[in-house]
Amino acid sequence: MSGKFVRASKYRHVFGQATKKELCYENLKITKNAWDSNIIDSNGKYLSVNWDSSGGGAFAVIPLSEVGKAPDTVPLFRGHKGPVLDTQFNPFNQQQIVSCSDDGKICLWEIPEDYSFHKYLDESDNIKDITEPIKVLSGHTRKVGHVEFHPCAENVLASCSMDYTVKIWNLETGKDEITLQHKDLVTSLAFNYNGSLLATTSRDKKIRIWDIRSGKILSEGPGHTGAKPSRVVWLGNTDRIITTGFSRLSDRQVGIWDVNNIEAGSIDGFLVIDASSGVLIPVFDESNNILYLAGKGDGNIRYYEYDNDILHELSQFSSTDPQRGFAISPKFSVNVKENEVLKSFKTVNDNSIEPISFIVPRRSELFQSDIYPDCPSQDPALTAQEFFDGKECNGPLLMSMESLYEGTKPSIRESGASISVSSVKEEAAVAKKEEKQAKEKELKAKKESTEEVKPAEKTKDNKEFTPESSQTPKNVDELLKSSDDVNNLINKVNDESDDEGKQKGEEKDDDWEEVKKPESPLSKSTVDLKKEEAKKENAKKEEAKKEEAKKEQAKKEEAKKEEAKKEEAKKEQAKKEEAKKEEAKKEEAKKEEAKKEEAKKEEAKKEESTPSTSTANTSKTTTSGGPTLKGTVEKLATLVEKLEAQVVKLTDAGLEKDAKLSSLEEKINELLKK
């Protein structure tokens, strides 16, 4: 589950726990009839099982306390001429049970007070069957497939038959008071929370919502498209139903429907479970909003949490033993001290029944009121006559679960009004919208307050750190000429870096802004904390802006330095060219001197041939005349020496410039890093 978003729910860790083998109900002969029913039922005291018997139909009733292996011959409830297809206990009388059969009859039975499944004998110690029902309801012309007791009114029963009808019976009179005609076989039916409406699914692939007393269809629409039977269950005290069925491609589906608008289709489409062939038996626990799905032919029981038209998958109980029948006990029969939220039963291999408990794991030994709201009691809210006369109620009478935990007499109260999920969703959407608008207003107010807060001023020391070239851009040559400023800056940076090395672990330099240590959040209110966070964010933004400005200034300085280097390189090249020209001039002057010396030698030879008088005269004239060749050569030599000294000075000055520039760059980089 790493990386996956997990929805917060108190039922996220609900798990199913199978009972030990010695606490199961074994050596049973469960019916092998292919009719689609739950096969078993429970009322918290007894367990009923459709029995596989010859010579007419029969079913067995097993007290929950009589666990273990049953005898080979057991007492049965015999009274039908055909196989028993469905049974259900009276919710307001634990000793009464109703059965329906292939013979078209519905029988009402009374369970004897001294009844025992293992040892119910007559006077001659033979197994005694119960063969006399209290009442036999005749009205259907073909086999009756399902029976359902009214959740609020006493002695009111619904039944569906192969004659395409649903009948509402008054058990006190034994008459079918209301008949709801369908166009095909009804495969499933369910009362709403207060029993005023009835939902049915049919073989014609349609879902219908009936007003029972008027006999009119309130809403009708197409259901599941598959050929196999579909089931329906009401979602507690709401205007929603859930159906299970099959798609055209035989995928098992679950759909949530608005009972006021069935024709609009399933809300948000169908939830596809898998591609197995067995019918899904839906059971909804309205006190915890958990939907249990038991698949026929497989051993899994999946469960989902319902929340405003969404089914959130919780987990599943997996078993290698497939089930054909599934039943649950009423809420008041769960083990409150073990945090059991559902007590269920499943058939195993058509010869045993295994109890399964669904538990919310908690360590506390106190009563868990959040998972045990008030549950339906065994007291009826209406009599049969009141119901057929049109009297309304909000739902069944509720009893306190805490009294079961404490072992005291439960307090009874009436149910609340029905909940419209659509209106709840609309209210939630409006509340969410208002919350969003409030958050937006808060954000706007925060932004306005942060804009009003003035950015912190730079300190003088920080101004000293910024190089002059970033504030008033100058030429690099001019900057280097004013060498005093550059040297002072370099010396200052060196001194500060030395001081920082010595002052580690002490207070920060005065060049940086002091940041006060934030006080503990416990001593501040949430408003102060929010203001401080806003100030910190503003300070961070200002620091980021300052750093960006410094980076831009450094980039500009680097560009200027590069340009200055290029100019210096050009000047050096010009100097080199000038030096080359001077050397060429020197060479030419040397050549001229050599020519003059040769000319002098020739003249000297001529003078030797002439008389001495002429030599004397010529010598006089030469000495007394213009500048001699020797003097000019000496002057040229001194000029060359001066030029060479100047070139050396210029090259030294260029090296000093490079050294100063490189040191400046290094110090600026260090400052930026700090």
Side-chain angles (χ1 to χ4, degrees):
M1 295 287 284
S2 60
K4 185 180 177 183
F5 174 76
V6 179
R7 177 176 167 271
S9 171
K10 56 191 170 187
Y11 303 113
R12 189 157 57 90
H13 300 292
V14 170
F15 65 95
Q17 188 176 59
T19 310
K20 295 178 182 179
K21 192 175 180 182
E22 56 266 23
L23 298 177
C24 295
Y25 306 91
E26 296 183 308
N27 196 26
L28 308 179
K29 297 178 183 178
I30 300 169
T31 181
K32 294 179 175 60
N33 194 299
W35 181 255
D36 178 39
S37 71
N38 291 355
I39 299 175
I40 59 176
D41 190 40
S42 175
N43 66 351
K45 182 178 181 182
Y46 297 106
L47 188 67
S48 67
V49 187
N50 295 354
W51 205 258
D52 184 19
S53 65
S54 57
F59 67 93
V61 173
I62 306 169
L64 292 182
S65 58
E66 296 185 14
V67 296
K69 187 176 180 181
D72 292 333
T73 55
V74 292
L76 299 174
F77 288 73
R78 298 179 182 271
H80 290 285
K81 297 176 181 177
V84 173
L85 302 180
D86 195 18
T87 58
Q88 191 171 42
F89 287 96
N90 188 338
F92 308 115
N93 186 344
Q94 285 191 320
Q95 298 301 120
Q96 283 189 1
I97 187 171
V98 161
S99 64
C100 63
S101 169
D102 212 330
D103 60 6
K105 299 288 191 292
I106 301 169
C107 293
L108 176 64
W109 305 83
E110 183 80 26
I111 303 170
E113 290 292 337
D114 60 343
Y115 177 78
S116 169
F117 184 60
H118 290 179
K119 292 181 180 180
Y120 189 60
L121 308 174
D122 58 11
E123 294 174 355
S124 56
D125 291 340
N126 294 322
I127 297 295
K128 185 168 70 172
D129 291 336
I130 293 93
T131 57
E132 295 295 330
I134 300 172
K135 275 182 185 169
V136 177
L137 308 178
S138 301
H140 288 293
T141 57
R142 298 188 65 184
K143 70 179 179 182
V144 182
H146 298 280
V147 286
E148 185 83 17
F149 270 99
H150 195 281
C152 304
E154 190 176 19
N155 294 323
V156 177
L157 181 77
S159 64
C160 64
S161 168
M162 279 285 285
D163 60 9
Y164 305 164
T165 63
V166 172
K167 290 185 181 291
I168 310 297
W169 302 84
N170 184 344
L171 295 183
E172 292 174 359
T173 61
K175 292 181 180 179
D176 52 329
E177 301 286 349
I178 300 167
T179 300
L180 307 176
Q181 185 66 49
H182 290 68
K183 296 177 182 177
D184 207 333
L185 170 67
V186 174
T187 57
S188 177
L189 71 162
F191 285 100
N192 71 337
Y193 193 69
N194 68 355
S196 61
L197 304 177
L198 186 75
T200 62
T201 59
S202 175
R203 199 164 57 184
D204 62 4
K205 301 174 186 176
K206 285 193 175 182
I207 300 169
R208 296 175 178 88
I209 306 297
W210 298 81
D211 184 339
I212 297 174
R213 295 185 183 91
S214 66
K216 293 180 180 178
I217 297 174
L218 297 180
S219 184
E220 178 182 6
H224 299 272
T225 56
K228 292 181 182 177
S230 59
R231 297 287 194 97
V232 64
V233 65
W234 215 282
L235 288 177
N237 194 12
T238 68
D239 56 353
R240 296 288 190 266
I241 58 170
I242 275 186
T243 60
T244 61
F246 293 82
S247 69
R248 199 166 289 170
L249 300 174
S250 295
D251 292 325
R252 296 202 287 192
Q253 298 176 327
V254 176
I256 302 172
W257 308 77
D258 183 354
V259 297
N260 300 311
N261 194 9
I262 295 292
E263 58 271 12
S266 176
I267 298 169
D268 297 330
F270 291 108
L271 171 67
V272 177
I273 304 300
D274 55 21
S276 298
S277 59
V279 173
L280 285 170
I281 302 171
V283 173
F284 186 73
D285 181 4
E286 64 269 6
S287 60
N288 304 117
N289 285 335
I290 299 178
L291 175 72
Y292 299 86
L293 298 176
K296 283 193 172 188
D298 62 71
N300 299 331
I301 301 170
R302 299 168 176 84
Y303 40 102
Y304 303 80
E305 186 175 2
Y306 171 78
D307 182 23
N308 289 346
D309 295 336
I310 300 172
L311 287 175
H312 301 281
E313 185 176 0
L314 294 174
S315 185
Q316 67 175 0
F317 170 79
S318 299
S319 172
T320 56
D321 300 321
Q323 66 250 356
R324 284 182 57 236
F326 184 74
I328 65 165
S329 288
K331 193 72 175 183
F332 58 76
S333 65
V334 299
N335 190 342
V336 182
K337 295 187 178 179
E338 294 293 331
N339 296 331
E340 182 184 41
V341 291
L342 187 80
K343 181 179 284 185
S344 63
F345 302 88
K346 61 174 274 189
T347 63
V348 177
N349 299 325
D350 291 340
N351 59 16
S352 64
I353 294 175
E354 179 182 33
I356 299 166
S357 295
F358 289 90
I359 297 168
V360 178
R362 290 191 178 177
R363 291 183 179 178
S364 175
E365 294 182 0
L366 300 173
F367 175 71
Q368 306 296 310
S369 58
D370 59 328
I371 61 173
Y372 290 121
D374 294 348
C375 68
S377 67
Q378 293 179 278
D379 298 331
L382 299 171
T383 64
Q385 193 58 46
E386 286 174 342
F387 171 74
F388 288 114
D389 288 343
K391 187 177 179 181
E392 292 284 354
C393 67
N394 288 332
L397 296 177
L398 303 178
M399 61 181 286
S400 171
M401 292 288 285
E402 190 170 4
S403 60
L404 297 175
Y405 181 85
E406 296 171 352
T408 59
K409 187 178 180 180
S411 58
I412 305 295
R413 69 174 181 87
E414 292 184 358
S415 297
S418 178
I419 300 167
S420 174
V421 178
S422 301
S423 61
V424 170
K425 287 169 74 176
E426 287 173 5
E427 289 172 4
V430 169
K432 197 173 183 182
K433 193 176 180 181
E434 289 175 354
E435 190 178 348
K436 193 176 180 183
Q437 289 175 352
K439 284 182 180 178
E440 287 175 357
K441 286 180 182 177
E442 284 180 7
L443 287 171
K444 284 182 182 177
K446 281 183 183 178
K447 283 181 181 178
E448 288 173 0
S449 63
T450 52
E451 285 172 3
E452 289 174 1
V453 176
K454 292 180 180 180
E457 294 179 356
K458 294 182 179 178
T459 59
K460 292 179 181 179
D461 296 328
N462 281 335
K463 286 183 179 178
E464 287 177 4
F465 279 130
T466 58
E468 291 178 1
S469 59
S470 65
Q471 296 172 0
T472 55
K474 294 181 180 179
N475 193 2
V476 179
D477 291 330
E478 293 175 4
L479 185 67
L480 290 170
K481 280 177 185 177
S482 59
S483 60
D484 294 335
D485 297 333
V486 175
N487 290 330
N488 288 335
L489 183 64
I490 291 167
N491 291 331
K492 187 173 183 181
V493 171
N494 286 328
D495 294 339
E496 286 172 356
S497 62
D498 294 337
D499 292 338
E500 283 175 5
K502 292 174 183 177
Q503 293 176 356
K504 278 186 181 178
E506 298 179 358
E507 292 181 354
K508 293 187 177 179
D509 295 337
D510 296 334
D511 304 330
W512 304 96
E513 293 180 1
E514 290 185 2
V515 181
K516 290 183 180 180
K517 188 175 180 182
E519 296 179 7
S520 61
L522 293 172
S523 64
K524 293 185 179 183
S525 64
T526 55
V527 179
D528 295 335
L529 289 171
K530 286 181 181 176
K531 287 181 180 177
E532 284 182 3
E533 287 175 2
K535 287 180 182 177
K536 286 179 184 177
E537 287 176 2
N538 292 330
K540 285 181 183 177
K541 288 178 182 177
E542 287 170 7
E543 287 175 4
K545 287 179 181 177
K546 287 177 186 176
E547 287 178 1
E548 287 177 2
K550 285 180 182 178
K551 287 179 182 177
E552 289 176 359
Q553 289 171 359
K555 286 179 181 177
K556 289 178 182 177
E557 287 173 4
E558 287 175 2
K560 287 177 182 177
K561 288 174 185 176
E562 287 176 0
E563 289 177 2
K565 284 181 182 178
K566 288 178 182 177
E567 288 176 2
E568 286 175 2
K570 286 179 182 178
K571 287 179 181 178
E572 287 176 0
Q573 285 178 358
K575 288 177 183 177
K576 287 178 182 178
E577 288 174 359
E578 287 176 2
K580 286 179 182 179
K581 287 178 183 178
E582 287 175 359
E583 287 175 1
K585 287 178 182 179
K586 287 178 184 178
E587 287 177 359
E588 287 177 359
K590 285 179 182 178
K591 287 179 182 178
E592 287 176 359
E593 287 174 2
K595 286 179 182 180
K596 287 177 182 178
E597 284 177 359
E598 286 175 1
K600 284 180 183 179
K601 286 178 182 178
E602 287 175 358
E603 288 175 356
K605 286 179 183 178
K606 288 178 182 179
E607 285 174 357
E608 286 175 359
S609 62
T610 57
S612 61
T613 58
S614 62
T615 57
N617 292 327
T618 53
S619 64
K620 283 178 184 177
T621 56
T622 54
T623 54
S624 62
T628 60
L629 184 65
K630 189 176 182 182
T632 56
V633 168
E634 287 175 355
K635 285 180 182 179
L636 285 168
T638 55
L639 279 170
V640 167
E641 287 175 358
K642 287 179 181 179
L643 282 168
E644 285 177 351
Q646 195 70 22
V647 168
V648 169
K649 285 180 181 179
L650 288 168
T651 52
D652 291 340
L655 289 170
E656 285 178 3
K657 284 180 181 179
D658 290 340
K660 288 179 179 180
L661 284 169
S662 61
S663 64
L664 263 175
E665 285 178 357
E666 288 175 1
K667 297 299 176 182
I668 287 165
N669 288 328
E670 286 176 4
L671 284 170
L672 289 171
K673 286 178 183 176
K674 289 178 182 177

